[in-house]
Amino acid sequence: MTTSPAPVILWFRRDLRLSDNPALNHAAETGAPVIPVYIHDQGPVQDRAGGASLWWLDKSLRALDDSLKARGSRLILRSGDSESELRRLIDQTGAATVFMNRRFEPELFARDADIAHALKDDDIEVRGWNGSLICRPGAVLNGSGLPYKVFTPFLKTLLASAEPPPHTTGPRTLDTPTGLDSETLDDWGLHPSKPDWSTGFDWTPGEAGASEALSRFLAGGLKSYSRDRDFPAAPGCSRLSPHLHFGEIHPWRAIERVRAAADAGKVSQAEADKFVAELGWRDFSAHLLHNFPQITDTAFRPEYDRMPWRDDEAGFEAWCKGRTGYPIVDAGMRQLWTTGWMHNRVRMIVASFLVKDLLIDWRRGEAWFRDTLVDADLASNVQNWQWVAASGADAAPYFRVFNPVTQGTKFDAKGHYVRRWVPEIAALPDKWLHAPWTAPVEVLRDARVRLGHDYPRPILDHGEARDRALEALRTVTASRYDDPEH
Ligand code: FAD
C-alpha cells in the first residue's frame, strides 16, 4: 500500500501571483497536496499596512483565489497570530512542511525565523525563498563584505551578481484537500465603507492587472522613459509599484521584458537601463532596511535626529488635505487621496515641502503616505523620505530645497496636472497657475478665483521657509555631511 505524502502549506505573503513564484514551484514539485493560505495577522509584528493598502490587498487576494480556483485549488483565509494559525492548519491537515517567499522587513524576517525554529521542534520544516526582489538582502556586499550605503556601486554589484530565475507559469493544476474552513474577504471588511473613500481608485489589482500594466508601459512610456518619467501629466512611468509591492509580478519578469524590448530594437538600451536602475532603487531600499533596521524610526545619519522639527498641526493638515496654496503640492496631495498613488516627481516636491518648508518631521509624512498609498512599502517609503530629508544613506544634499513654483513651471509647464487636481484655479493662464498669489487682480477676477475663498493663499513664504530650513540643517550637518563611504 502506498501512503500519500503529507501536504505542504503554501503560505502566501507579498507574492500574490502564480507565475515566477519560487515557493509555489517548489511546493508543486514535491508532488504532495498543496494548501495555499493567507493569514491576516494584526498582532504586534505585522505589515503596518494602511487603509489604501488594505483596499488593494482585498482585490489582490480575490484575484489570487480566482487563479487558484482555475487550477483546481483555492485560497484558505485565516486571521490571527501567524504561528497559531499555521499550527492549527498543520493539526487539521497533517502537513509536514511550510513553504513561503520571505518577507525581508526586519521585524517580519525575525518573527518568521522564530516561527521556523518553533515549528522545527515539532518536526515541521519551514523553507523560504526570495520571490520579491532582484536579489536577496545580505547577498550584495562591497569589497569589505559590508552592505553598500551608496546606490551606484550597489546597483553595479547587484546587476553583475544577481541571477534571473527561470520564467515559470506555475503548475497547471494544484491538488488541494477539500473541506478546510476558511474565512471570507467579506468577513475581513478590507474595502472601506462609511464612507467609501476609494471611489477614485482606478486600478486592477492582481497578477493579470500587473501584466497588463507592464504591457501598456512597454507599448507606450518606456520609449521615452528617462525624459517623460519626470512629467506628472505624461503617461511616462509604469505604475507598477503597487503590483510589485504585493508581489503580483516578479521584478525579474519586468526586467526581462524591458530588456527584450531593447534587444528587439523597439526601445533604446538607455531607456531599458534607466528603468532597470529604478527597479534597483527598490532593491536598494529593501537591502538598506534589512541591514539597518533602525531606519524606520531613526535617521540613517544620526545627527539629523537633532533637527529642530516644528509642531505645526495646521500646516500638517493643510498639507494632507492639499490646501497649502502651492498648486503643485496641493495637486499631488489630492492625487494621492483620490487615487491612492502619486507621481514620483511630485512625491519629491510634496515631501520636500513638508520636511523643509514646513520643517515637520519626515516620520509624519512617511506615516501619512503609508496610510494613503496603494504602493506603501516600508523600505521604499522610509528610504525615500530620508532621501528627501537628507538624513538617508545616499540622500539628496541637505541644501536642496525644492521650490514648488519653479518645479511646477518646469515639470507641469502647460498645467495639465495642476488643472486636473486643483480645478478651482483651472481658468488661470499658465503664467500664473503655479503661483496664483502673484497674478494681477483682474486676472484672478477673470479666472473667477478669489484667493482665500476658492483657493487658499500660500500658508508660508517659500523664500523665508527655505532660509529657516537651511539654518536648521546647517546646525545639524556641521561635522558629518561630506563623509561618503565609497
Ligand atoms: P516607475 O518610474 O515606472 O519605476 C518602476 C519601479 O521602480 C517602481 O514601480 C518602483 O518599484 C521602483 N522605483 C522607482 N523609483 C523608486 C524609488 N525612488 N525608490 C524605490 N523604488 C523605486 N515607492 C514605493 O513603491 N512605495 C513607497 O511607499 C514609496 N514611497 C515614496 C515616498 C517618497 C517621499 C518618494 C519621493 C518616493 C517614494 N516611492 C515609493 C518611490 C517612487 O515614487 C515610486 O516607486 C514610483 O512613483 C512608482 O511609480 P511607477 O511604478 O510608475 O514607477
mmCIF file of all heavy atoms in Angstrom, residues 217 225 229 237-242 244-245 275 278-282 285 341-344 347-348 351 369 373 375-378 380-381 383-385 387-388, ligand 1:
data_model
loop_
_atom_site.group_PDB
_atom_site.id
_atom_site.type_symbol
_atom_site.label_atom_id
_atom_site.label_comp_id
_atom_site.label_asym_id
_atom_site.label_seq_id
_atom_site.Cartn_x
_atom_site.Cartn_y
_atom_site.Cartn_z
ATOM 1 N N PHE A 217 2.991 49.766 -20.535
ATOM 2 C CA PHE A 217 4.218 50.553 -20.404
ATOM 3 C C PHE A 217 5.200 50.225 -21.533
ATOM 4 O O PHE A 217 5.814 51.116 -22.122
ATOM 5 C CB PHE A 217 4.843 50.267 -19.037
ATOM 6 C CG PHE A 217 6.138 50.969 -18.797
ATOM 7 C CD1 PHE A 217 6.209 52.353 -18.797
ATOM 8 C CD2 PHE A 217 7.309 50.243 -18.545
ATOM 9 C CE1 PHE A 217 7.417 53.013 -18.565
ATOM 10 C CE2 PHE A 217 8.514 50.891 -18.317
ATOM 11 C CZ PHE A 217 8.570 52.268 -18.324
ATOM 12 N N TYR A 225 11.147 56.922 -21.517
ATOM 13 C CA TYR A 225 11.005 56.856 -20.053
ATOM 14 C C TYR A 225 11.905 57.853 -19.331
ATOM 15 O O TYR A 225 11.458 58.571 -18.437
ATOM 16 C CB TYR A 225 11.318 55.426 -19.594
ATOM 17 C CG TYR A 225 11.330 55.240 -18.099
ATOM 18 C CD1 TYR A 225 10.148 55.320 -17.358
ATOM 19 C CD2 TYR A 225 12.523 54.984 -17.408
ATOM 20 C CE1 TYR A 225 10.161 55.139 -15.984
ATOM 21 C CE2 TYR A 225 12.535 54.809 -16.035
ATOM 22 C CZ TYR A 225 11.356 54.886 -15.328
ATOM 23 O OH TYR A 225 11.361 54.725 -13.966
ATOM 24 N N ARG A 229 9.355 60.369 -17.497
ATOM 25 C CA ARG A 229 9.057 59.932 -16.138
ATOM 26 C C ARG A 229 9.008 61.095 -15.149
ATOM 27 O O ARG A 229 8.501 60.965 -14.050
ATOM 28 C CB ARG A 229 10.094 58.907 -15.665
ATOM 29 C CG ARG A 229 11.478 59.454 -15.571
ATOM 30 C CD ARG A 229 12.474 58.369 -15.235
ATOM 31 N NE ARG A 229 12.387 57.957 -13.840
ATOM 32 C CZ ARG A 229 13.015 58.555 -12.833
ATOM 33 N NH1 ARG A 229 13.796 59.601 -13.065
ATOM 34 N NH2 ARG A 229 12.882 58.122 -11.603
ATOM 35 N N CYS A 237 5.525 56.787 -16.856
ATOM 36 C CA CYS A 237 6.091 55.761 -15.972
ATOM 37 C C CYS A 237 5.165 54.545 -15.952
ATOM 38 O O CYS A 237 4.069 54.574 -16.508
ATOM 39 C CB CYS A 237 6.321 56.328 -14.573
ATOM 40 S SG CYS A 237 4.826 56.952 -13.809
ATOM 41 N N SER A 238 5.624 53.484 -15.312
ATOM 42 C CA SER A 238 4.929 52.192 -15.475
ATOM 43 C C SER A 238 3.715 51.990 -14.582
ATOM 44 O O SER A 238 2.877 51.150 -14.863
ATOM 45 C CB SER A 238 5.923 51.060 -15.188
ATOM 46 O OG SER A 238 6.241 51.036 -13.802
ATOM 47 N N ARG A 239 3.641 52.713 -13.469
ATOM 48 C CA ARG A 239 2.591 52.500 -12.454
ATOM 49 C C ARG A 239 2.574 51.034 -11.981
ATOM 50 O O ARG A 239 1.523 50.488 -11.649
ATOM 51 C CB ARG A 239 1.218 52.922 -13.006
ATOM 52 C CG ARG A 239 1.136 54.430 -13.220
ATOM 53 C CD ARG A 239 -0.107 54.836 -13.987
ATOM 54 N NE ARG A 239 -1.315 54.525 -13.269
ATOM 55 C CZ ARG A 239 -2.034 55.386 -12.561
ATOM 56 N NH1 ARG A 239 -1.643 56.644 -12.470
ATOM 57 N NH2 ARG A 239 -3.122 55.014 -11.948
ATOM 58 N N LEU A 240 3.742 50.444 -11.953
ATOM 59 C CA LEU A 240 3.828 49.049 -11.497
ATOM 60 C C LEU A 240 4.011 48.937 -9.984
ATOM 61 O O LEU A 240 3.969 47.833 -9.433
ATOM 62 C CB LEU A 240 5.030 48.360 -12.174
ATOM 63 C CG LEU A 240 4.783 47.741 -13.545
ATOM 64 C CD1 LEU A 240 6.108 47.252 -14.143
ATOM 65 C CD2 LEU A 240 3.813 46.560 -13.458
ATOM 66 N N SER A 241 4.244 50.073 -9.300
ATOM 67 C CA SER A 241 4.678 49.992 -7.893
ATOM 68 C C SER A 241 3.734 49.187 -6.989
ATOM 69 O O SER A 241 4.213 48.351 -6.228
ATOM 70 C CB SER A 241 4.934 51.388 -7.334
ATOM 71 O OG SER A 241 3.865 52.249 -7.611
ATOM 72 N N PRO A 242 2.408 49.375 -7.043
ATOM 73 C CA PRO A 242 1.586 48.551 -6.145
ATOM 74 C C PRO A 242 1.615 47.077 -6.543
ATOM 75 O O PRO A 242 1.590 46.197 -5.677
ATOM 76 C CB PRO A 242 0.174 49.142 -6.280
ATOM 77 C CG PRO A 242 0.192 49.970 -7.519
ATOM 78 C CD PRO A 242 1.604 50.371 -7.776
ATOM 79 N N LEU A 244 4.139 45.520 -7.827
ATOM 80 C CA LEU A 244 5.408 44.984 -7.321
ATOM 81 C C LEU A 244 5.340 44.805 -5.811
ATOM 82 O O LEU A 244 5.795 43.812 -5.264
ATOM 83 C CB LEU A 244 6.559 45.935 -7.682
ATOM 84 C CG LEU A 244 7.028 45.857 -9.132
ATOM 85 C CD1 LEU A 244 7.801 47.121 -9.519
ATOM 86 C CD2 LEU A 244 7.905 44.619 -9.351
ATOM 87 N N HIS A 245 4.749 45.778 -5.134
ATOM 88 C CA HIS A 245 4.685 45.675 -3.669
ATOM 89 C C HIS A 245 3.934 44.421 -3.227
ATOM 90 O O HIS A 245 4.341 43.742 -2.291
ATOM 91 C CB HIS A 245 4.044 46.915 -3.041
ATOM 92 C CG HIS A 245 3.802 46.729 -1.577
ATOM 93 N ND1 HIS A 245 4.829 46.771 -0.658
ATOM 94 C CD2 HIS A 245 2.688 46.407 -0.881
ATOM 95 C CE1 HIS A 245 4.356 46.500 0.545
ATOM 96 N NE2 HIS A 245 3.060 46.274 0.443
ATOM 97 N N PHE A 275 15.150 52.207 -16.637
ATOM 98 C CA PHE A 275 14.041 51.554 -15.921
ATOM 99 C C PHE A 275 14.581 50.492 -14.947
ATOM 100 O O PHE A 275 14.154 50.413 -13.798
ATOM 101 C CB PHE A 275 13.065 50.926 -16.925
ATOM 102 C CG PHE A 275 11.902 50.261 -16.261
ATOM 103 C CD1 PHE A 275 10.876 51.018 -15.701
ATOM 104 C CD2 PHE A 275 11.829 48.874 -16.161
ATOM 105 C CE1 PHE A 275 9.807 50.403 -15.055
ATOM 106 C CE2 PHE A 275 10.767 48.257 -15.524
ATOM 107 C CZ PHE A 275 9.746 49.015 -14.973
ATOM 108 N N GLU A 278 15.839 52.064 -11.881
ATOM 109 C CA GLU A 278 14.793 52.454 -10.922
ATOM 110 C C GLU A 278 14.338 51.255 -10.103
ATOM 111 O O GLU A 278 14.111 51.360 -8.897
ATOM 112 C CB GLU A 278 13.607 53.100 -11.648
ATOM 113 C CG GLU A 278 13.922 54.451 -12.266
ATOM 114 C CD GLU A 278 14.555 55.436 -11.290
ATOM 115 O OE1 GLU A 278 14.056 55.564 -10.163
ATOM 116 O OE2 GLU A 278 15.561 56.072 -11.659
ATOM 117 N N LEU A 279 14.233 50.105 -10.772
ATOM 118 C CA LEU A 279 13.925 48.891 -10.006
ATOM 119 C C LEU A 279 15.047 48.601 -9.014
ATOM 120 O O LEU A 279 14.812 48.054 -7.932
ATOM 121 C CB LEU A 279 13.726 47.700 -10.947
ATOM 122 C CG LEU A 279 12.387 47.639 -11.666
ATOM 123 C CD1 LEU A 279 12.403 46.515 -12.694
ATOM 124 C CD2 LEU A 279 11.238 47.422 -10.690
ATOM 125 N N GLY A 280 16.265 48.986 -9.399
ATOM 126 C CA GLY A 280 17.402 48.821 -8.498
ATOM 127 C C GLY A 280 17.223 49.633 -7.219
ATOM 128 O O GLY A 280 17.611 49.202 -6.134
ATOM 129 N N TRP A 281 16.603 50.815 -7.330
ATOM 130 C CA TRP A 281 16.335 51.624 -6.121
ATOM 131 C C TRP A 281 15.392 50.881 -5.168
ATOM 132 O O TRP A 281 15.485 51.006 -3.952
ATOM 133 C CB TRP A 281 15.704 52.976 -6.494
ATOM 134 C CG TRP A 281 16.714 54.029 -6.799
ATOM 135 C CD1 TRP A 281 17.075 54.468 -8.032
ATOM 136 C CD2 TRP A 281 17.501 54.781 -5.852
ATOM 137 N NE1 TRP A 281 18.044 55.442 -7.915
ATOM 138 C CE2 TRP A 281 18.315 55.663 -6.595
ATOM 139 C CE3 TRP A 281 17.591 54.798 -4.460
ATOM 140 C CZ2 TRP A 281 19.210 56.548 -5.981
ATOM 141 C CZ3 TRP A 281 18.482 55.681 -3.844
ATOM 142 C CH2 TRP A 281 19.276 56.538 -4.603
ATOM 143 N N ARG A 282 14.505 50.119 -5.745
ATOM 144 C CA ARG A 282 13.587 49.340 -4.895
ATOM 145 C C ARG A 282 14.382 48.301 -4.095
ATOM 146 O O ARG A 282 14.191 48.157 -2.891
ATOM 147 C CB ARG A 282 12.529 48.672 -5.783
ATOM 148 C CG ARG A 282 11.542 47.818 -5.046
ATOM 149 C CD ARG A 282 10.427 47.353 -5.992
ATOM 150 N NE ARG A 282 9.528 46.463 -5.301
ATOM 151 C CZ ARG A 282 9.675 45.139 -5.255
ATOM 152 N NH1 ARG A 282 10.692 44.570 -5.877
ATOM 153 N NH2 ARG A 282 8.817 44.401 -4.585
ATOM 154 N N SER A 285 16.510 50.003 -1.420
ATOM 155 C CA SER A 285 15.721 50.348 -0.229
ATOM 156 C C SER A 285 15.529 49.128 0.658
ATOM 157 O O SER A 285 15.689 49.196 1.882
ATOM 158 C CB SER A 285 14.336 50.880 -0.642
ATOM 159 O OG SER A 285 14.447 51.919 -1.574
ATOM 160 N N TRP A 341 -2.266 56.968 -5.138
ATOM 161 C CA TRP A 341 -0.941 56.958 -5.783
ATOM 162 C C TRP A 341 -0.542 58.388 -6.097
ATOM 163 O O TRP A 341 -1.420 59.257 -6.270
ATOM 164 C CB TRP A 341 -1.038 56.137 -7.077
ATOM 165 C CG TRP A 341 0.242 55.886 -7.812
ATOM 166 C CD1 TRP A 341 1.137 54.886 -7.589
ATOM 167 C CD2 TRP A 341 0.757 56.639 -8.931
ATOM 168 N NE1 TRP A 341 2.173 54.967 -8.486
ATOM 169 C CE2 TRP A 341 1.969 56.027 -9.310
ATOM 170 C CE3 TRP A 341 0.321 57.765 -9.627
ATOM 171 C CZ2 TRP A 341 2.741 56.513 -10.374
ATOM 172 C CZ3 TRP A 341 1.090 58.244 -10.679
ATOM 173 C CH2 TRP A 341 2.284 57.621 -11.049
ATOM 174 N N MET A 342 0.746 58.646 -6.159
ATOM 175 C CA MET A 342 1.213 59.967 -6.574
ATOM 176 C C MET A 342 2.449 59.780 -7.432
ATOM 177 O O MET A 342 3.258 58.867 -7.196
ATOM 178 C CB MET A 342 1.573 60.822 -5.351
ATOM 179 C CG MET A 342 1.750 62.302 -5.648
ATOM 180 S SD MET A 342 2.647 63.192 -4.334
ATOM 181 C CE MET A 342 1.646 62.879 -2.924
ATOM 182 N N HIS A 343 2.572 60.654 -8.417
ATOM 183 C CA HIS A 343 3.709 60.606 -9.328
ATOM 184 C C HIS A 343 5.016 60.861 -8.571
ATOM 185 O O HIS A 343 5.053 61.686 -7.649
ATOM 186 C CB HIS A 343 3.502 61.666 -10.420
ATOM 187 C CG HIS A 343 4.511 61.597 -11.499
ATOM 188 N ND1 HIS A 343 5.734 62.225 -11.400
ATOM 189 C CD2 HIS A 343 4.511 60.961 -12.686
ATOM 190 C CE1 HIS A 343 6.425 61.982 -12.502
ATOM 191 N NE2 HIS A 343 5.709 61.216 -13.291
ATOM 192 N N ASN A 344 6.098 60.169 -8.976
ATOM 193 C CA ASN A 344 7.366 60.264 -8.240
ATOM 194 C C ASN A 344 7.896 61.687 -8.127
ATOM 195 O O ASN A 344 8.339 62.111 -7.063
ATOM 196 C CB ASN A 344 8.410 59.366 -8.898
ATOM 197 C CG ASN A 344 9.735 59.433 -8.163
ATOM 198 O OD1 ASN A 344 9.807 59.115 -6.981
ATOM 199 N ND2 ASN A 344 10.783 59.876 -8.848
ATOM 200 N N ARG A 347 5.954 63.374 -5.553
ATOM 201 C CA ARG A 347 6.269 62.871 -4.202
ATOM 202 C C ARG A 347 7.472 63.619 -3.644
ATOM 203 O O ARG A 347 7.512 63.985 -2.471
ATOM 204 C CB ARG A 347 6.587 61.366 -4.231
ATOM 205 C CG ARG A 347 5.387 60.501 -4.516
ATOM 206 C CD ARG A 347 5.705 59.005 -4.368
ATOM 207 N NE ARG A 347 4.744 58.233 -5.139
ATOM 208 C CZ ARG A 347 4.448 56.948 -4.942
ATOM 209 N NH1 ARG A 347 5.053 56.271 -3.997
ATOM 210 N NH2 ARG A 347 3.562 56.330 -5.699
ATOM 211 N N MET A 348 8.484 63.840 -4.493
ATOM 212 C CA MET A 348 9.680 64.544 -4.011
ATOM 213 C C MET A 348 9.342 65.986 -3.638
ATOM 214 O O MET A 348 9.817 66.510 -2.635
ATOM 215 C CB MET A 348 10.777 64.511 -5.086
ATOM 216 C CG MET A 348 11.327 63.118 -5.316
ATOM 217 S SD MET A 348 12.832 63.124 -6.313
ATOM 218 C CE MET A 348 12.210 63.414 -7.941
ATOM 219 N N ALA A 351 7.167 66.064 -0.408
ATOM 220 C CA ALA A 351 7.960 65.643 0.752
ATOM 221 C C ALA A 351 8.919 66.754 1.157
ATOM 222 O O ALA A 351 9.085 67.051 2.342
ATOM 223 C CB ALA A 351 8.714 64.355 0.426
ATOM 224 N N PHE A 369 1.824 58.816 4.119
ATOM 225 C CA PHE A 369 1.977 58.078 2.857
ATOM 226 C C PHE A 369 1.644 56.598 3.076
ATOM 227 O O PHE A 369 1.027 55.953 2.238
ATOM 228 C CB PHE A 369 3.415 58.193 2.337
ATOM 229 C CG PHE A 369 3.658 59.353 1.390
ATOM 230 C CD1 PHE A 369 2.940 60.535 1.498
ATOM 231 C CD2 PHE A 369 4.615 59.264 0.388
ATOM 232 C CE1 PHE A 369 3.168 61.603 0.636
ATOM 233 C CE2 PHE A 369 4.853 60.325 -0.485
ATOM 234 C CZ PHE A 369 4.132 61.485 -0.354
ATOM 235 N N LEU A 373 -1.082 55.491 0.413
ATOM 236 C CA LEU A 373 -0.557 54.964 -0.864
ATOM 237 C C LEU A 373 -0.969 53.510 -1.077
ATOM 238 O O LEU A 373 -0.828 52.696 -0.158
ATOM 239 C CB LEU A 373 0.973 54.981 -0.851
ATOM 240 C CG LEU A 373 1.729 56.250 -1.200
ATOM 241 C CD1 LEU A 373 3.219 56.068 -0.887
ATOM 242 C CD2 LEU A 373 1.553 56.636 -2.661
ATOM 243 N N ASP A 375 0.780 51.715 -2.977
ATOM 244 C CA ASP A 375 2.071 51.032 -3.098
ATOM 245 C C ASP A 375 2.914 51.183 -1.830
ATOM 246 O O ASP A 375 4.126 50.914 -1.862
ATOM 247 C CB ASP A 375 2.849 51.525 -4.328
ATOM 248 C CG ASP A 375 3.263 52.999 -4.245
ATOM 249 O OD1 ASP A 375 3.323 53.544 -3.137
ATOM 250 O OD2 ASP A 375 3.532 53.592 -5.305
ATOM 251 N N ALA A 376 2.275 51.625 -0.719
ATOM 252 C CA ALA A 376 3.053 51.883 0.501
ATOM 253 C C ALA A 376 3.933 50.684 0.828
ATOM 254 O O ALA A 376 3.447 49.569 0.971
ATOM 255 C CB ALA A 376 2.125 52.185 1.668
ATOM 256 N N ASP A 377 5.214 50.953 0.939
ATOM 257 C CA ASP A 377 6.181 49.876 1.133
ATOM 258 C C ASP A 377 7.173 50.389 2.169
ATOM 259 O O ASP A 377 7.805 51.427 1.960
ATOM 260 C CB ASP A 377 6.878 49.611 -0.212
ATOM 261 C CG ASP A 377 7.932 48.554 -0.101
ATOM 262 O OD1 ASP A 377 9.085 48.894 0.254
ATOM 263 O OD2 ASP A 377 7.614 47.391 -0.356
ATOM 264 N N LEU A 378 7.253 49.693 3.281
ATOM 265 C CA LEU A 378 8.045 50.205 4.403
ATOM 266 C C LEU A 378 9.448 50.620 3.953
ATOM 267 O O LEU A 378 9.904 51.724 4.248
ATOM 268 C CB LEU A 378 8.119 49.141 5.508
ATOM 269 C CG LEU A 378 8.688 49.610 6.836
ATOM 270 C CD1 LEU A 378 7.857 50.718 7.445
ATOM 271 C CD2 LEU A 378 8.796 48.430 7.807
ATOM 272 N N SER A 380 10.800 51.209 0.800
ATOM 273 C CA SER A 380 10.891 52.291 -0.190
ATOM 274 C C SER A 380 10.415 53.615 0.399
ATOM 275 O O SER A 380 10.975 54.676 0.106
ATOM 276 C CB SER A 380 10.041 51.973 -1.419
ATOM 277 O OG SER A 380 10.619 50.919 -2.147
ATOM 278 N N ASN A 381 9.403 53.540 1.235
ATOM 279 C CA ASN A 381 8.850 54.765 1.793
ATOM 280 C C ASN A 381 9.852 55.416 2.746
ATOM 281 O O ASN A 381 10.162 56.608 2.623
ATOM 282 C CB ASN A 381 7.541 54.417 2.525
ATOM 283 C CG ASN A 381 6.588 55.588 2.627
ATOM 284 O OD1 ASN A 381 6.662 56.550 1.850
ATOM 285 N ND2 ASN A 381 5.700 55.543 3.591
ATOM 286 N N GLN A 383 13.094 54.893 2.963
ATOM 287 C CA GLN A 383 14.319 55.275 2.253
ATOM 288 C C GLN A 383 14.115 56.593 1.515
ATOM 289 O O GLN A 383 14.961 57.483 1.555
ATOM 290 C CB GLN A 383 14.718 54.145 1.291
ATOM 291 C CG GLN A 383 16.084 54.291 0.644
ATOM 292 C CD GLN A 383 16.035 55.210 -0.560
ATOM 293 O OE1 GLN A 383 16.736 56.231 -0.585
ATOM 294 N NE2 GLN A 383 15.202 54.906 -1.524
ATOM 295 N N ASN A 384 12.970 56.720 0.840
ATOM 296 C CA ASN A 384 12.736 57.938 0.056
ATOM 297 C C ASN A 384 12.472 59.152 0.943
ATOM 298 O O ASN A 384 12.905 60.254 0.623
ATOM 299 C CB ASN A 384 11.586 57.730 -0.925
ATOM 300 C CG ASN A 384 12.046 57.006 -2.183
ATOM 301 O OD1 ASN A 384 12.705 57.597 -3.022
ATOM 302 N ND2 ASN A 384 11.736 55.722 -2.284
ATOM 303 N N TRP A 385 11.755 58.952 2.041
ATOM 304 C CA TRP A 385 11.543 60.094 2.950
ATOM 305 C C TRP A 385 12.879 60.554 3.515
ATOM 306 O O TRP A 385 13.156 61.750 3.606
ATOM 307 C CB TRP A 385 10.546 59.748 4.065
ATOM 308 C CG TRP A 385 9.138 60.008 3.611
ATOM 309 C CD1 TRP A 385 8.259 59.095 3.107
ATOM 310 C CD2 TRP A 385 8.474 61.276 3.568
ATOM 311 N NE1 TRP A 385 7.087 59.722 2.750
ATOM 312 C CE2 TRP A 385 7.190 61.052 3.030
ATOM 313 C CE3 TRP A 385 8.826 62.572 3.931
ATOM 314 C CZ2 TRP A 385 6.260 62.087 2.850
ATOM 315 C CZ3 TRP A 385 7.902 63.609 3.751
ATOM 316 C CH2 TRP A 385 6.644 63.354 3.220
ATOM 317 N N TRP A 387 15.679 60.170 2.076
ATOM 318 C CA TRP A 387 16.417 60.757 0.954
ATOM 319 C C TRP A 387 16.078 62.249 0.848
ATOM 320 O O TRP A 387 16.961 63.105 0.751
ATOM 321 C CB TRP A 387 16.037 60.035 -0.342
ATOM 322 C CG TRP A 387 16.808 60.474 -1.551
ATOM 323 C CD1 TRP A 387 17.990 59.965 -2.006
ATOM 324 C CD2 TRP A 387 16.451 61.522 -2.473
ATOM 325 N NE1 TRP A 387 18.391 60.638 -3.138
ATOM 326 C CE2 TRP A 387 17.469 61.598 -3.451
ATOM 327 C CE3 TRP A 387 15.384 62.415 -2.567
ATOM 328 C CZ2 TRP A 387 17.438 62.515 -4.508
ATOM 329 C CZ3 TRP A 387 15.354 63.333 -3.618
ATOM 330 C CH2 TRP A 387 16.376 63.375 -4.576
ATOM 331 N N VAL A 388 14.779 62.543 0.893
ATOM 332 C CA VAL A 388 14.358 63.943 0.771
ATOM 333 C C VAL A 388 14.829 64.741 1.990
ATOM 334 O O VAL A 388 15.290 65.878 1.865
ATOM 335 C CB VAL A 388 12.824 64.053 0.626
ATOM 336 C CG1 VAL A 388 12.385 65.519 0.604
ATOM 337 C CG2 VAL A 388 12.354 63.362 -0.653
HETATM 338 P P1 FAD B 1 8.457 53.743 -12.415
HETATM 339 O O1 FAD B 1 9.123 55.024 -12.700
HETATM 340 O O2 FAD B 1 7.775 53.061 -13.536
HETATM 341 O O3 FAD B 1 9.566 52.794 -11.785
HETATM 342 C C1 FAD B 1 9.489 51.367 -11.842
HETATM 343 C C2 FAD B 1 9.582 50.800 -10.460
HETATM 344 O O4 FAD B 1 10.848 51.097 -9.879
HETATM 345 C C3 FAD B 1 8.559 51.336 -9.491
HETATM 346 O O5 FAD B 1 7.325 50.676 -9.629
HETATM 347 C C4 FAD B 1 9.233 51.064 -8.151
HETATM 348 O O6 FAD B 1 9.052 49.720 -7.739
HETATM 349 C C5 FAD B 1 10.696 51.261 -8.470
HETATM 350 N N1 FAD B 1 11.100 52.631 -8.112
HETATM 351 C C6 FAD B 1 11.087 53.729 -8.899
HETATM 352 N N2 FAD B 1 11.578 54.800 -8.213
HETATM 353 C C7 FAD B 1 11.879 54.335 -6.975
HETATM 354 C C8 FAD B 1 12.410 54.958 -5.808
HETATM 355 N N3 FAD B 1 12.745 56.258 -5.763
HETATM 356 N N4 FAD B 1 12.562 54.199 -4.702
HETATM 357 C C9 FAD B 1 12.252 52.880 -4.693
HETATM 358 N N5 FAD B 1 11.749 52.240 -5.778
HETATM 359 C C10 FAD B 1 11.572 52.970 -6.901
HETATM 360 N N6 FAD B 1 7.708 53.656 -3.925
HETATM 361 C C11 FAD B 1 7.047 52.568 -3.485
HETATM 362 O O7 FAD B 1 6.951 51.561 -4.186
HETATM 363 N N7 FAD B 1 6.456 52.571 -2.240
HETATM 364 C C12 FAD B 1 6.517 53.661 -1.416
HETATM 365 O O8 FAD B 1 5.981 53.612 -0.297
HETATM 366 C C13 FAD B 1 7.188 54.815 -1.889
HETATM 367 N N8 FAD B 1 7.242 55.938 -1.125
HETATM 368 C C14 FAD B 1 7.905 57.047 -1.607
HETATM 369 C C15 FAD B 1 7.975 58.199 -0.810
HETATM 370 C C16 FAD B 1 8.611 59.334 -1.274
HETATM 371 C C17 FAD B 1 8.707 60.566 -0.400
HETATM 372 C C18 FAD B 1 9.196 59.343 -2.552
HETATM 373 C C19 FAD B 1 9.896 60.557 -3.072
HETATM 374 C C20 FAD B 1 9.134 58.207 -3.345
HETATM 375 C C21 FAD B 1 8.501 57.040 -2.891
HETATM 376 N N9 FAD B 1 8.448 55.875 -3.672
HETATM 377 C C22 FAD B 1 7.795 54.774 -3.182
HETATM 378 C C23 FAD B 1 9.227 55.761 -4.920
HETATM 379 C C24 FAD B 1 8.519 56.158 -6.212
HETATM 380 O O9 FAD B 1 7.885 57.388 -6.075
HETATM 381 C C25 FAD B 1 7.505 55.113 -6.678
HETATM 382 O O10 FAD B 1 8.066 53.826 -6.663
HETATM 383 C C26 FAD B 1 7.043 55.429 -8.108
HETATM 384 O O11 FAD B 1 6.463 56.704 -8.144
HETATM 385 C C27 FAD B 1 6.047 54.401 -8.557
HETATM 386 O O12 FAD B 1 5.566 54.706 -9.836
HETATM 387 P P2 FAD B 1 5.910 53.770 -11.068
HETATM 388 O O13 FAD B 1 5.626 52.357 -10.717
HETATM 389 O O14 FAD B 1 5.207 54.340 -12.249
HETATM 390 O O15 FAD B 1 7.475 53.977 -11.182
#
